[in-house]
Amino acid sequence: MTSTPATASQPTADRGDDVPFRYTADLAREIELRWQDEWQERGTFHAANPTGSLTDGDGRHADPSRRSFFVMDMFPYPSGAGLHIGHPLGYIATDVVARFRRMQGDNVLHALGFDAFGLPAEQYAVQTGQHPRVTTEANIAIMQRQLRRLGLAHDPRRSFATIDPDYVRWTQWIFLQIFGAWYDEDAERADGGRGRARPITELEAELAAGTRPVPAVADVPAGVAWRDLDAVARRRVLDAHRLAYVSETPVNWCPGLGTVLANEEVTSDGRSERGNFPVFQRSLRQWNMRITAYADRLADDLDHIDWPEKVKSMQRNWIGRSSGARVRFAVEGGSQVEVFTTRPDTLFGATFMVVAPEHPLLDEVPPSWPDGTHAAWTGGHASPAEAVAAYRAEAAAKTAVERQADAGRKTGVFTGHLAINPVNGQPLPVFTADYVLMGYGTGAIMAVPGGDERDYAFAQAYELPVVYTTAGDVTDAARTGDGVVINSSNDELSLDGLGVAEAKERMIAWLTAAGIGEGTITYRLRDWLFSRQRYWGEPFPVVYDEHDLPIALPAELLPVALPDVPDYAPRTFDPEDSASSPEPPLGRNDEWVTVTLDLGDGPRQYRRDTNTMPNWAGSCWYYLRYLDPTSDEVLVDPELERFWMGPGHNGDPADTVGGVDLYVGGVEHAVLHLLYARFWHKVLFDLGHVSGGEPFHQLFNQGYIQAYAYTDARGVHVPADEVVEDEASPTGFTWQGEPVNREYGKMGKSLKNMVTPDDMYAEYGADTLRVYEMSMGPLDLSRPWETRAVVGSQRFLQRLWRNVVSEADGTLVVSEDAPSDETSRVLHRTIADVTEDMAAMRINTAIAKLIVLNNHLTTLPAAPRAAVEALVLMTAPIAPHVAEEIWARLGHERSLAYEPYPVADPAFLVEETATCVFQVAGKVRGRAEVAVDSSDDALRELALADAGVQRALDGRGVRTVIVRAPRLVNVVPA
């Protein structure tokens, strides 16, 4: 890691002035490109592993006696448009932190890969006919060039893209680990908790040995002996318990995109996050991940990681854990209906039930309306069958959010079924209404109009009785508050007079004893829908046999590569065509779909899955690949995983959950990526592939860079860089002669307000851009971009340069004399404060303090070398190129990347004097430098003798003098 340049090269052109060595954009460019080449050639930022082939630039392994520090950014997606200056904000921040920690002696791992599967590349391929891999790799090259130009100290040996065949292989391998596992709620975990994933082969062995009863699944009754089941039935039992499973489930179907979406990919308005198309509820056969098995751990373990509380709350709310009871209602002439309720104490007030239109109870309904059916219940239909069929068709044409919103319109029909209230034997009419969703809870609710506003409105519209179960004066609306329980007793149970909490406990105990219910916990979280009807994604590493059951491919057949297809687009439909069905692009390649393989019982014909994995799959585990990027034997070497991520790896207690030390990215990934990655990591932990229970120990959400955007009369955004200020315009701005309106927004392609880093490199240099972005404000807050303000950061670096280098001839101008006591105090106070700020990622305030020190040095005849070198070392993480150049000019032969960060001398942190402010009646009238141990009497005398104080008193007497030694004396006139 030696550095050759001890002096800068001569200017490349005759400037024709007397300052050829001024720090300009041209000189910055020459310095920056040269040092970037130097770092790459010398392997300066090669992160050394403790073992294996990855060493540092000098061939050494990591020192195990030093702390390890793993810092990373959220996976970037390579766009053809390249970066705008909003993107580097997080990348610069992690680079600053990594450089700082490296100089503090830590083993630092900092790398960057690319999340390369997904919709944008596929859409571009659809438009151009060019294979997504071609455009994606070209986009990666653009982004790599822009990031290298920024001077980011990544280890290039650890970079990869999710589309790399070796990476796809391991993504598919992890899927097979999940497919090959089940969740045993009673098994003890390595961390001492209960419940963990186990290999499905262990479940099979227990079923075969009879130590675990055979559970009931489709076509397999409960209690049957394992030996009495044929091979197909046994597979069905096992498949029903896998963590990755295929099932016919309600899904979010988006005709406009031609694919299904996970709940997390649907907005609160019931539309697709990408494209803003309507999303409909459909039942389709798809792959799912049993993330619900981990709901409690995903919620509880948030207490063990250092994340913003906002993100923790978002995950807790998404998991949506709530306690209550499951209650089973008998149905006359039909199957039981089970409901979940958080208020089992209101069961005596249930006067009807509502099931989702997709509920299986509606597959068979009575042939005619039972006696007592109100005309308002039938929807004008002659029979329950007609009413239910019509209502199901109507509900299928609505999005989930539309169905919820329409609850206010109180649509629904009576199904003809009558359920029996288990606490009082009363028959309850069973309605179907589209505000009840099959994908949430049990798809059925008990309606208590006396305690729920929506149920009350429905009861009023359909002439249904209202029974109040809490005391109160309200008689024309629901009583939604907690009150004393009334009207809630039978021959075996009385809740009357109890509070809600005690009533809940008694009701649950009674339901359990009666065998018609039990206390339980339910979750908003649904299993992760994992199939996508897309081309540009990882193929599933499974095939289907003649029974349409999935079979895992052996590891030696991985990766399963994508075939060439004539058309990359899934078939899309009219966005409102809710009756359409998916048609994936992979289904158009018959030679790939139908394959002959020998999987142990001779060559046989199988069918591949024509869906692909979602783009989240590759980003669920990429942090592990940084640790061991060339491994082809194991997912990650256990020793490397423990060194960089294991519990206690960086000096934390050994019983911590481990994880990446610092993970920086946007809050928009709070539920999607972060929840999915935590789930995959916990499965890998249970199966023994990783040593810690969490992937990311500390999370930091950076803010956004905002910029002015402009819209024309149509409300359409116009290019911001083409807008001109125009006093004649009513808005003050015009574009192509037409008035436009100005607004603030997140910088990006959609608002046409992008500023590229390439422009900034050319005009100011990369170091100036780095300093400006880091000095704009706290990292976790959004901040406005102002190009004209960048010059302030450039001036800081120019002053730093002039304190060391003559602009006339490039010679050193530093003094070899020791710093004065005053300079030493300023220097060491700066070291102490900047070190504290950098450790807390307050980079903006650290820069402000470096500027103060630098400005102090400019007031001296010549800046002392000792002060300059400390300033350069502190500046290096933020502006590394110019710092390296100055360091070399100061005569050092090695890169400063591993130089120790300056340490403050405590002797110079003790204040010997302080500025004492003299006030008269609260207004400042004078100041004096005083000893910090000055007595109150001495300060009082000094203030009264001050000329400014005497002028302010103007002969008046003094009523009192208030002294706050040593910094304030306030004289109160008589």
Side-chain angles (χ1 to χ4, degrees):
M1 290 177 289
T2 57
S3 57
T4 53
T7 59
S9 60
Q10 294 297 315
T12 56
D14 184 3
R15 290 174 48 88
D17 58 29
D18 59 351
V19 285
F21 284 87
R22 174 175 290 168
Y23 184 77
T24 62
D26 288 340
L27 182 56
R29 177 179 183 277
E30 187 272 324
I31 290 172
E32 289 163 3
L33 293 178
R34 176 158 45 82
W35 277 103
Q36 287 160 15
D37 290 342
E38 179 79 7
W39 293 333
Q40 179 173 322
E41 179 184 347
R42 301 296 181 181
T44 301
F45 301 112
H46 286 183
N49 278 338
T51 60
S53 61
L54 294 183
T55 60
D56 67 12
D58 291 333
R60 298 171 302 195
H61 284 106
D63 183 348
S65 67
R66 295 182 173 184
R67 292 184 307 178
S68 63
F69 185 77
F70 184 7
V71 54
M72 53 182 267
D73 304 273
M74 287 192 182
F75 234 5
Y77 189 89
S79 165
L83 300 174
H84 60 68
I85 53 87
H87 291 123
L89 182 66
Y91 303 145
I92 298 172
T94 55
D95 190 61
V96 170
V97 172
R99 288 173 178 271
F100 171 70
R101 296 296 292 259
R102 194 178 287 114
M103 294 175 74
Q104 288 198 314
D106 291 355
N107 296 300
V108 174
L109 194 161
H110 191 205
L112 191 72
F114 299 91
D115 189 10
F117 279 122
L119 195 57
E122 182 175 278
Q123 288 177 326
Y124 188 76
V126 171
Q127 296 167 8
T128 63
Q130 190 173 51
H131 196 283
R133 180 176 293 277
V134 175
T135 54
T136 300
E137 290 177 345
N139 294 343
I140 289 174
I142 292 171
M143 193 168 180
Q144 284 176 322
R145 174 189 60 79
Q146 290 181 309
L147 293 176
R148 183 182 190 272
R149 185 66 182 84
L150 197 58
L152 301 179
H154 297 140
D155 183 346
R157 304 169 302 170
R158 298 175 185 262
S159 186
F160 54 84
T162 54
I163 60 175
D164 295 345
D166 286 345
Y167 192 86
V168 171
R169 173 197 172 201
W170 286 112
T171 302
Q172 293 173 338
W173 182 88
I174 295 173
F175 173 86
L176 292 180
Q177 299 304 298
I178 301 172
F179 175 73
W182 65 294
Y183 199 80
D184 184 350
E185 295 180 353
D186 298 321
E188 186 172 348
R189 295 195 301 272
D191 61 9
R194 301 203 73 81
R196 64 176 172 88
R198 296 173 57 194
I200 200 77
T201 53
E202 295 181 4
L203 172 62
E204 184 176 17
E206 292 180 10
L207 293 171
T211 57
R212 184 180 293 271
V214 177
V217 301
D219 302 325
V220 178
V224 66
W226 186 254
R227 63 180 177 274
D228 294 334
L229 298 178
D230 62 21
V232 172
R234 291 179 180 180
R235 286 176 58 195
R236 293 191 192 281
V237 170
L238 296 176
D239 287 353
H241 288 78
R242 296 181 186 272
L243 288 177
Y245 64 95
V246 179
S247 73
E248 183 89 12
T249 55
V251 299
N252 301 305
W253 166 235
C254 182
L257 290 176
T259 188
V260 299
L261 301 172
N263 288 342
E264 295 85 349
E265 296 171 304
V266 181
T267 69
S268 59
D269 296 324
R271 305 179 75 86
S272 61
E273 266 203 329
R274 186 173 292 278
N276 197 37
F277 292 111
V279 176
F280 302 92
Q281 290 280 303
R282 288 284 307 279
S283 287
L284 296 172
R285 193 164 186 264
Q286 305 284 297
W287 279 101
N288 293 268
M289 292 269 182
R290 207 178 301 276
I291 191 173
T292 51
Y294 286 80
D296 282 326
R297 290 167 66 182
L298 289 169
D300 293 341
D301 288 355
L302 290 169
D303 294 335
H304 304 307
I305 51 182
D306 182 9
W307 285 20
E309 193 55 44
K310 176 182 178 181
V311 177
K312 290 185 178 182
S313 295
M314 292 170 73
Q315 290 216 354
R316 288 191 182 102
N317 291 338
W318 191 261
I319 294 166
R321 180 165 55 189
S322 57
S323 61
R326 289 185 178 272
V327 185
R328 289 176 287 279
F329 290 74
V331 177
E332 294 182 357
S335 303
Q336 280 187 336
V337 174
E338 185 174 78
V339 304
F340 170 80
T341 176
T342 59
R343 293 292 304 272
D345 57 295
T346 65
L347 192 52
F348 284 95
T351 59
F352 62 100
M353 297 186 71
V354 185
V355 299
E358 300 84 5
H359 198 285
L361 181 69
L362 305 190
D363 293 342
E364 291 188 20
V365 295
S368 59
W369 298 116
D371 292 340
T373 299
H374 294 219
W377 299 0
T378 67
H381 295 282
S383 69
E386 293 178 19
V388 168
Y391 194 81
R392 277 182 149 180
E394 179 184 339
K398 295 180 182 179
T399 68
V401 170
E402 287 172 339
R403 288 171 58 167
Q404 292 284 300
D406 283 351
R409 295 198 299 114
K410 299 171 285 293
T411 66
V413 294
F414 179 39
T415 66
H417 285 297
L418 294 173
I420 305 301
N421 190 327
V423 297
N424 57 22
Q426 291 295 316
L428 308 179
V430 180
F431 286 76
T432 182
D434 55 15
Y435 70 85
V436 178
L437 304 178
M438 195 63 203
Y440 292 89
T442 64
I445 65 167
M446 66 176 205
V448 183
D452 182 275
E453 292 178 355
R454 186 161 57 182
D455 292 346
Y456 183 89
F458 196 95
Q460 293 299 106
Y462 288 88
E463 304 170 4
L464 293 158
V466 176
V467 174
Y468 291 105
T469 59
T470 55
D473 298 330
V474 175
T475 58
D476 58 353
R479 298 175 185 171
T480 56
D482 291 346
V484 175
V485 177
I486 60 173
N487 299 327
S488 300
S489 64
N490 59 27
D491 293 340
E492 303 172 357
L493 171 71
S494 177
L495 307 181
D496 293 341
L498 300 179
V500 169
E502 187 179 356
K504 283 183 180 180
E505 292 181 6
R506 286 203 190 177
M507 176 61 79
I508 291 174
W510 185 84
L511 291 169
T512 303
I516 53 177
E518 55 276 326
T520 189
I521 296 175
T522 191
Y523 306 86
R524 179 179 181 268
L525 182 69
R526 302 271 72 85
D527 279 346
W528 176 11
L529 181 67
F530 203 69
S531 296
R532 295 296 182 274
Q533 290 67 48
R534 289 288 176 190
Y535 171 75
W536 194 230
E538 299 92 344
F540 284 95
V542 299
V543 291
Y544 297 87
D545 63 9
E546 67 274 17
H547 304 291
D548 203 28
L549 295 176
I551 300 174
L553 291 175
E556 58 268 21
L557 293 184
L558 303 182
V560 178
L562 286 167
D564 288 329
V565 295
D567 182 5
Y568 304 115
R571 183 183 174 191
T572 57
F573 302 86
D574 183 303
E576 303 291 341
D577 184 4
S578 60
S580 53
S581 296
E583 296 182 18
L586 291 182
R588 300 175 192 139
N589 189 318
D590 291 336
E591 293 182 1
W592 184 83
V593 173
T594 303
V595 60
T596 300
L597 299 171
D598 186 348
L599 300 180
D601 51 0
R604 298 176 60 185
Q605 193 174 83
Y606 299 95
R607 174 178 58 84
R608 294 192 191 274
D609 199 310
T610 57
N611 295 311
T612 54
M613 299 186 200
N615 61 300
W616 308 107
S619 62
C620 273
W621 72 280
Y622 69 106
Y623 54 94
L624 294 174
R625 193 63 174 172
Y626 288 147
L627 311 183
D628 200 4
T630 59
S631 174
D632 56 7
E633 296 296 326
V634 292
L635 178 69
V636 58
D637 184 315
E639 184 176 351
L640 301 183
E641 188 272 333
R642 287 192 297 270
F643 179 79
W644 291 112
M645 290 185 61
H649 72 276
N650 59 357
D652 290 339
D655 60 351
T656 57
V657 293
V660 174
D661 296 286
L662 176 62
Y663 193 27
V664 176
V667 72
E668 66 271 17
H669 298 294
V671 170
L672 289 159
H673 158 62
L674 290 172
L675 193 65
Y676 295 156
R678 294 181 65 216
F679 164 56
W680 274 37
H681 191 88
K682 289 180 182 301
V683 177
L684 293 173
F685 171 72
D686 288 352
L687 298 178
H689 300 298
V690 295
S691 62
E694 287 285 336
F696 313 118
H697 175 71
Q698 183 182 8
L699 174 70
F700 187 93
N701 294 133
Q702 88 275 13
Y704 299 109
I705 288 184
Q706 298 174 314
Y708 285 121
Y710 301 86
T711 56
D712 61 17
R714 302 165 298 165
V716 176
H717 287 96
V718 302
D721 59 353
E722 298 177 12
V723 172
V724 297
E725 294 188 25
D726 188 344
E727 294 182 358
S729 168
T731 64
F733 303 93
T734 58
W735 177 69
Q736 297 183 350
E738 297 295 326
V740 291
N741 296 301
R742 186 168 76 167
E743 61 186 36
Y744 241 153
K746 179 183 173 183
M747 184 175 289
K749 189 164 54 177
S750 63
L751 300 188
K752 298 185 178 180
N753 61 349
M754 289 175 56
V755 177
T756 72
D758 292 342
D759 295 338
M760 293 297 102
Y761 300 153
E763 191 169 353
Y764 297 100
D767 276 343
T768 294
L769 175 60
R770 290 172 62 110
V771 172
Y772 177 63
E773 291 214 0
M774 291 297 96
S775 63
M776 292 170 72
L779 277 172
D780 58 342
L781 299 181
S782 295
R783 69 284 311 276
W785 175 265
E786 179 54 67
T787 299
R788 288 174 292 187
V790 179
V791 69
S793 297
Q794 184 182 46
R795 287 174 182 153
F796 161 56
L797 297 182
Q798 288 174 331
R799 292 191 190 102
L800 174 63
W801 179 263
R802 284 197 300 269
N803 277 330
V804 182
V805 179
S806 167
E807 292 183 333
D809 58 16
T811 58
L812 291 180
V813 295
V814 297
S815 166
E816 299 298 331
D817 295 337
S820 67
D821 286 350
E822 179 187 4
T823 296
S824 294
R825 281 194 293 271
V826 174
L827 171 63
H828 288 279
R829 171 50 57 195
T830 301
I831 293 172
D833 290 348
V834 168
T835 302
E836 181 179 333
D837 285 345
M838 292 287 280
M841 291 184 70
R842 297 191 296 265
I843 304 172
N844 61 314
T845 58
I847 292 173
K849 290 160 186 172
L850 293 176
I851 291 173
V852 170
L853 173 59
N854 191 51
N855 289 344
H856 171 79
L857 296 181
T858 63
T859 66
L860 306 179
R865 172 184 284 271
V868 165
E869 291 194 344
L871 174 58
V872 169
L873 290 172
M874 288 187 287
T875 304
I878 304 160
H881 308 90
V882 68
E884 286 275 26
E885 181 70 10
I886 293 174
W887 190 251
R889 286 176 174 272
L890 288 168
H892 300 281
E893 295 185 353
R894 293 180 63 84
S895 166
L896 53 64
Y898 292 87
E899 285 292 321
Y901 202 79
V903 177
D905 185 341
F908 289 105
L909 300 180
V910 178
E911 293 186 63
E912 296 181 356
T913 64
T915 301
C916 187
V917 175
F918 301 148
Q919 295 179 339
V920 176
K923 295 183 179 180
V924 176
R925 298 301 184 183
R927 290 180 174 84
E929 288 296 310
V930 300
V932 293
D933 58 354
S934 297
S935 68
D936 288 3
D937 289 341
L939 294 177
R940 182 182 298 106
E941 295 303 319
L942 192 62
L944 292 175
D946 183 80
V949 171
Q950 289 299 318
R951 283 194 300 271
L953 288 174
D954 193 22
R956 290 178 292 174
V958 175
R959 186 170 70 182
T960 187
V961 178
I962 301 170
V963 181
R964 297 289 183 264
R967 300 190 180 278
L968 176 68
V969 179
N970 184 24
V971 179
V972 181

